[in-house]
Amino acid sequence: MDNLIYLIAAALGLGSLGLLAFLWALKSGQFDDLEGAANRILFDEDDEENNKDP
Amino acid sequence: MTSCTHCNLDIPQGVFIKSEEDQNLQFCCTGCEAAYHVIKGLGLGNYYKRRVLDPNIAALKPEDDVGTIDYQAHAIAETDGTQALYMMVEGMHCAACVWLIETLLQRHEGVTHARLNMSTRRLVVKWQDEKSSANELAGLINGLGYRLVPYDPAALDRVNHEQEKELLRSMAVAGFAAGNVMLFSVSVWAGYFQGMLDVTREMMHWLSALIALPAVVYAGLPFYRSALEALRAQRVNMDVPISLAVILASGMSLYQTIVGAQHAYFDSAVGLLFFLLIGRYLDRRARGRAQSAAERLLALNARSATVIDEEGNRQLLPPSEIKIGMVLLVAPGERVAADGEVIEGTSDLDTSLITGESAPATALPGTGVFAGTNNLSAALKVKITASDKDTLLAEIVRLMEDAEQGRAKYVALADRVAKHYAPVVHTLALFTFLWWFFLGDALWQEALLISVAVLIITCPCALALAVPVVQVIASGRLLKRGIFVKSATALERIAKTDIVVFDKTGTLTLGKPQLVNLGEISQEQLNLAASIAAASKHPLARALCQVAPTVKVAENAQETPGMGMSAGDYKLGKRAWCEVETELKVIGPELWLTGPEIKPVRFVFKDQAREDAQEVVSTLKKQGKRVALLSGDLEPVVHSMVMELGIDDWQAECSPADKVARLAELKRQGFNVLMVGDGLNDAPALAAAHGSISPTTAADVSQTAADLVFQGAKLSPVLEALATAEKADTLVKQNFALTFLYNGLTIPLAVAGYVTPLIAAIAMSASSLVVIGNALRLTKSRKP
């Protein structure tokens, strides 16, 4: 019985952590541009060498 | 055919601009060549390797007449001394475009911040005031072939975005609560069979209450608010039974928990909220997206107007700030921003958006001009006249409002169902309570518990999900094909179409004249005429140049507005201007070429039908729909178009009121009318029809009036929209049928008192999933 109470408390705590994280992400604008963020990571800041043709 | 290295459009034969240093590079125009060198010069040539071009989006061909927007006027001074400019980007193809635009701006001197949102296509640039200017930065991006439209960030976002975020927050809270409460419920259910101690069960119930109650209070707010509003207005909407079920179920469960009873419905209450919030959020998002797409289209067309004040100073003003008595300067190529009278200058006006007539009209001092007409050949000064009730635009707007009132009466299917459904649910729950209390000899708690179960089971969870899910998927599918659904009930209304009424100029045709008698003209004469025409923006001259794109501009070409062009002894223009004496009858818009040593040559033009117009018309007929044509253009022109496309039901020289009258007649005969049109003269008809579609080239007012707006040079989006609407309609009806079938099975169980929390939870989730699953079939059906 005691174990159950600890486990429930732990589960609820973890759950609310997730909820808070989501609300924080929502507030800080991380859901504003879902498409862009996924693609942005693919582009490096590299310059091409000028002797190569596109 | 080879394609241009920059914009990837096919290069017309013989127009190569080959780069001197590299024979692999070829361009269709000098604009593309310049853009390529800008990109290459900054070492961003990787762009061409990385990009994935989308054929449905306008090609990256730099335009030569983008200089009409004054970006500096839209720049906002930030608190830290930098300037910021908010713009929407048109012509973005893929992520590489985002990268290119951002990097290009960031490498520009003085720029401190450049970020382009790929989902909303909004660009924010910030720079140090003294080091750069808004026009310089915008010119840089315009030069690559994108189009930039400034917007006011404060006005656009607030309402819509806030509501969407609130729903998302509520959804997160409800989802969290539903998940956790469900865990406890599973243990309670398992306890039924394994013999859980009463103490443990009570603890589970208390924990559920602890999580569920705050969630019900917070996440249910959007529903309670709307239900209260409806009740205040003495109406009943879908949110009333929803709120009632959620509140009663939680209240009852709390009471059960306090007295230590066996059943609690916390999981159903929170689960219900969660599913409903999903439906609500999807609905809001789809609507918000369509709205922003439409806003973007309108913003693209709305350009600032040049006003001249008494001292002769020029000032750029947005169209909304133009007042009566002001004097506008309308440069060639610009649109007239407001109704007025010409006080200086002579020019040709393209009035096709207003009257449907394809041939341009001459404007002289004293001529009345209307907002939306295009000035073609020379600068005009226009004095804005009082917006009397008898101006054309005011008349059209009045007709449109009249027509729209009729449409406002249309009630969406879901609302019609809800109207009958909500009272039935309430009566049923009340009946159940009374029946158990008086006839069944149950305690009031038991009777109430059973009637709450009835409310939960009948709650329109699937109903509230059935329509939004189908609509989101349908409008998403259309959006991918360049069709924007602007009104929430549009698809439902056009699904029943049995007669399609087209406008001619700009709708069945592209609204651009094309040379049709090329065979009668020798190459030399064509080149000569094209070299003179190249100096003009008149649509006939443009059409002539299109046939001979390599010809250079004649150096001494001069334009006489309203008449034609001259270059030395050669003249190109109207019959009278060229002083031609001929027996030939006028068969459409024409230009004549005269000069020493040549016989007068005639160039005949025609506004050709869109390439797939005939196919669309015959497909519609094959589907058993009637096709009609209502045009403001002259009879012979309309007649030849009708013969070409095989339309039997037609009318020429229609005024806007004639069109509305004809639609009203069709409606009286019991037809469901779909109007497809683009002109200002179509706007009242677009508003009057059961459903309406406009191309994106249409007048602003028409795009506002239309339910759907489509992009591109083809007419097939009309078919696509009809097919999707019909499919969506079928799916919505199937979903309703499924929901009612489910209710038919479960209501007797609930009334009889057999619905335990377990059954309620399973039945509710299952019906929602079935409805969503059925809606998803729309994505799989028929590939483009």
Side-chain angles (χ1 to χ4, degrees):
Chain A
M1 195 63 191
D2 285 353
N3 300 340
L4 199 59
I5 289 170
Y6 294 136
L7 282 174
I8 287 171
L12 278 181
L14 287 174
S16 24
L17 261 185
L19 179 65
L20 285 178
F22 175 76
L23 291 178
W24 167 79
L26 185 65
K27 206 173 170 192
S28 61
Q30 302 204 15
F31 288 91
D32 287 354
D33 184 12
L34 293 174
E35 278 172 67
N39 283 298
R40 219 175 274 276
I41 194 167
L42 300 174
F43 294 100
D44 301 325
E45 285 295 320
D46 57 340
D47 284 10
E48 59 163 355
E49 302 97 86
N50 279 329
N51 53 10
K52 268 194 206 164
D53 285 325
Chain B
M1 278 283 188
T2 43
S3 49
C4 174
T5 307
H6 179 69
C7 70
N8 208 34
L9 289 178
D10 288 340
I11 302 178
Q13 212 107 53
V15 206
F16 289 101
I17 301 175
K18 284 222 175 192
S19 172
E20 278 162 23
E21 64 251 43
D22 190 337
Q23 290 297 305
N24 285 328
L25 302 173
Q26 44 214 10
F27 303 99
C28 64
C29 57
T30 46
C32 284
E33 191 182 11
Y36 176 80
H37 288 297
V38 167
I39 294 174
K40 196 78 178 172
L42 280 167
L44 302 177
N46 276 336
Y47 166 69
Y48 292 104
K49 282 186 229 158
R50 287 170 172 173
R51 71 175 177 185
V52 184
L53 292 178
D54 182 342
N56 291 323
I57 293 176
L60 281 181
K61 193 169 178 155
E63 281 181 54
D64 41 2
D65 55 349
V66 284
T68 48
I69 305 179
D70 181 23
Y71 293 96
Q72 194 62 49
H74 296 272
I76 301 166
E78 298 275 294
T79 42
D80 57 354
T82 59
Q83 297 264 319
L85 186 61
Y86 294 81
M87 291 173 291
M88 298 210 229
V89 183
E90 197 69 1
M92 234 168 68
H93 289 256
C94 62
C97 290
V98 177
W99 172 77
L100 177 70
I101 292 173
E102 283 184 354
T103 321
L104 199 66
L105 287 171
Q106 277 156 4
R107 293 194 182 175
H108 198 272
E109 209 203 341
V111 173
T112 53
H113 174 95
R115 187 93 179 169
L116 175 54
N117 184 324
M118 195 174 163
S119 320
T120 55
R121 326 238 132 162
R122 289 179 191 164
L123 171 67
V124 188
V125 200
K126 293 181 185 167
W127 68 95
Q128 287 164 314
D129 202 8
E130 64 280 9
K131 291 207 178 133
S132 190
S133 82
N135 287 329
E136 185 186 346
L137 293 170
L140 201 64
I141 307 299
N142 276 330
L144 298 183
Y146 302 98
R147 290 177 73 193
L148 297 178
V149 185
Y151 72 92
D152 179 9
L156 207 63
D157 269 338
R158 230 155 255 167
V159 180
N160 233 329
H161 221 70
E162 270 317 301
Q163 279 178 346
E164 204 180 299
K165 275 199 171 173
E166 191 202 339
L167 280 177
L168 200 56
R169 269 198 307 269
S170 301
M171 207 168 92
V173 171
F176 164 80
N180 282 292
V181 171
M182 201 55 88
L183 277 180
F184 297 126
S185 298
V186 168
S187 356
V188 174
W189 297 331
Y192 290 146
F193 306 107
Q194 296 176 350
M196 182 186 263
L197 291 176
D198 283 355
V199 198
T200 322
R201 194 187 61 227
E202 271 168 42
M203 185 186 74
M204 294 295 181
H205 278 170
W206 275 113
L207 282 169
S208 302
L210 196 71
I211 301 166
L213 292 178
V216 164
V217 171
Y218 178 77
L221 273 179
F223 298 102
Y224 310 149
R225 230 182 278 142
S226 138
L228 265 182
E229 263 167 42
L231 287 179
R232 262 194 218 129
Q234 303 195 324
R235 286 183 296 114
V236 178
N237 65 5
M238 211 62 136
D239 291 334
V240 177
I242 292 173
S243 308
L244 207 63
V246 169
I247 293 174
L248 269 182
S250 332
M252 197 60 216
S253 308
L254 184 63
Y255 173 80
Q256 297 282 85
T257 307
I258 292 170
V259 301
Q262 213 182 6
H263 293 314
Y265 290 90
F266 289 117
D267 48 356
S268 298
V270 198
L272 193 67
L273 268 184
F274 183 48
F275 279 121
L276 290 171
L277 281 166
I278 295 176
R280 205 51 65 95
Y281 175 70
L282 288 179
D283 192 37
R284 156 77 46 194
R285 235 179 86 120
R287 245 185 268 175
R289 244 199 226 174
Q291 221 173 16
S292 70
E295 266 166 13
R296 194 161 70 220
L297 287 172
L298 286 180
L300 268 179
N301 293 330
R303 300 197 169 177
S304 45
T306 316
V307 174
I308 305 178
D309 61 16
E310 280 150 22
E311 288 103 51
N313 295 325
R314 292 177 181 195
Q315 194 188 357
L316 281 167
L317 283 182
S320 55
E321 282 176 34
I322 296 172
K323 295 200 177 64
I324 296 159
M326 285 181 167
V327 176
L328 291 188
L329 179 73
V330 187
E334 253 182 28
R335 249 184 207 161
V336 181
D339 289 14
E341 198 186 285
V342 178
I343 51 170
E344 203 184 310
T346 307
S347 178
D348 298 286
L349 288 179
D350 175 6
T351 59
S352 63
L353 273 185
I354 296 191
T355 59
E357 227 169 284
S358 38
T362 310
L364 302 163
T367 315
V369 293
F370 303 109
T373 44
N374 218 339
N375 183 15
L376 298 169
S377 30
L380 286 177
K381 279 189 184 170
V382 174
K383 185 169 184 143
I384 306 305
T385 49
S387 53
D388 282 340
K389 288 214 176 82
D390 44 59
T391 64
L392 184 62
L393 189 65
E395 172 70 11
I396 284 173
V397 169
R398 195 184 58 75
L399 276 172
M400 211 171 86
E401 280 169 358
D402 285 354
E404 252 173 4
Q405 268 170 6
R407 190 194 276 172
K409 286 188 193 131
Y410 183 87
V411 186
L413 184 61
D415 292 336
R416 264 179 290 161
V417 172
K419 209 177 123 203
H420 298 292
Y421 190 76
V424 171
V425 172
H426 291 141
T427 327
L428 200 66
L430 186 67
F431 163 79
T432 312
F433 177 76
L434 296 176
W435 193 64
W436 277 96
F437 189 56
F438 290 111
L439 300 174
D441 283 332
L443 292 171
W444 71 269
Q445 295 96 323
E446 277 175 55
L448 189 59
L449 199 64
I450 293 169
S451 59
V452 165
V454 172
L455 267 185
I456 291 178
I457 281 288
T458 53
C459 210
C461 189
L463 214 57
L465 215 52
V467 181
V469 173
V470 173
Q471 278 193 342
V472 165
I473 294 174
S475 45
R477 176 172 148 163
L478 289 175
L479 194 67
K480 273 191 201 139
R481 290 168 179 67
I483 307 167
F484 306 103
V485 183
K486 283 177 49 210
S487 141
T489 57
L491 287 178
E492 216 175 295
R493 278 184 279 116
I494 70 170
K496 298 185 200 88
T497 301
D498 38 32
I499 177 162
V500 184
V501 179
F502 287 101
D503 164 53
K504 187 184 75 73
T505 317
T507 307
L508 279 179
T509 70
L510 280 169
K512 283 183 196 150
Q514 279 169 316
L515 187 66
V516 285
N517 65 338
L518 192 60
E520 301 167 13
I521 300 159
S522 73
Q523 190 64 39
E524 279 163 53
Q525 291 164 342
L526 180 68
N527 287 353
L528 176 62
S531 71
I532 304 173
S536 169
K537 281 195 168 176
H538 194 281
L540 295 184
R542 281 278 171 99
L544 192 57
C545 294
Q546 236 174 32
V547 195
T550 40
V551 174
K552 291 218 168 68
V553 186
E555 275 168 24
N556 50 354
Q558 272 184 333
E559 186 158 11
T560 309
M563 300 311 283
M565 313 277 301
S566 59
D569 294 333
Y570 294 96
K571 277 181 169 181
L572 177 75
K574 284 189 177 168
R575 216 173 253 237
W577 164 254
C578 297
E579 293 154 26
V580 184
E581 284 168 27
T582 171
E583 301 285 293
L584 289 170
K585 272 192 186 168
V586 181
I587 48 169
E590 55 175 22
L591 284 179
W592 286 84
L593 174 71
T594 53
E597 294 152 34
I598 52 166
K599 247 176 28 177
V601 191
R602 178 163 78 154
F603 299 89
V604 181
F605 298 88
K606 202 176 144 196
D607 188 12
Q608 301 274 41
R610 289 180 190 248
E611 61 177 293
D612 61 344
Q614 176 142 30
E615 203 187 316
V616 169
V617 169
S618 61
T619 314
L620 284 172
K621 281 185 169 173
K622 235 177 270 164
Q623 290 172 351
K625 294 184 174 66
R626 284 180 53 180
V627 179
L629 191 144
L630 295 178
S631 174
D633 211 347
L634 302 170
E635 212 217 287
V637 191
V638 180
H639 186 72
S640 76
M641 174 65 55
V642 166
M643 296 308 281
E644 187 188 332
L645 297 179
I647 300 173
D648 325 310
D649 184 355
W650 59 280
Q651 219 174 314
E653 294 170 46
C654 292
S655 71
D658 289 344
K659 291 193 178 190
V660 177
R662 176 82 181 118
L663 291 194
E665 193 189 318
L666 286 169
K667 275 181 160 180
R668 255 200 313 282
Q669 290 167 9
F671 286 108
N672 277 304
V673 190
L674 173 69
M675 175 79 203
V676 189
D678 75 315
L680 204 54
N681 60 337
D682 297 316
L686 288 169
H690 287 102
S692 48
I693 307 185
S694 269
T696 50
T697 48
D700 299 359
V701 185
S702 308
Q703 287 190 33
T704 316
D707 295 315
L708 275 79
V709 179
F710 71 90
Q711 287 179 317
K714 285 190 172 177
L715 202 58
S716 61
V718 174
L719 289 180
E720 183 71 41
L722 277 174
T724 308
E726 275 162 22
K727 184 85 193 158
D729 195 56
T730 321
L731 284 174
V732 165
K733 284 183 182 146
Q734 281 174 2
N735 275 348
F736 279 145
L738 282 172
T739 315
F740 287 127
L741 183 74
Y742 147 84
N743 275 340
L745 289 174
T746 49
I747 289 176
L749 282 179
V751 174
Y754 287 124
V755 173
T756 59
L758 176 62
I759 295 177
I762 291 176
M764 210 178 57
S765 319
S767 78
S768 299
L769 291 179
V770 168
V771 168
I772 295 176
N774 190 40
L776 283 174
R777 293 198 306 142
L778 191 59
T779 51
K780 287 194 190 128
S781 60
R782 207 161 62 81
K783 290 278 169 263

